Amino acid sequence: DNTVADAVLDRLVHNAHRIELAGDSMRKQRASPLLTPAENGETYNP
């Protein structure tokens, strides 16, 4: 039911804490063998 889903999400968002993380994403590290560095958003800086 849309009304129930809306109520549940309101409660989740209202009681949520935002956590900001620094550093590279683990998703990039796992995806890097499948993509070239350019496709993975990496740049080469010697």
Side-chain angles (χ1 to χ4, degrees):
D1 185 15
N2 289 340
T3 304
V4 174
D6 192 38
V8 169
L9 288 175
D10 282 343
R11 285 177 177 85
L12 285 173
V13 171
H14 179 71
N15 294 316
H17 295 275
R18 183 175 179 154
I19 300 172
E20 294 190 26
L21 303 174
D24 288 338
S25 170
M26 291 296 291
R27 291 180 182 174
K28 282 186 181 180
Q29 293 175 3
R30 290 184 183 151
S32 61
L34 302 175
L35 302 173
T36 65
E39 291 171 329
N40 200 27
E42 298 175 17
T43 56
Y44 178 71
N45 294 323

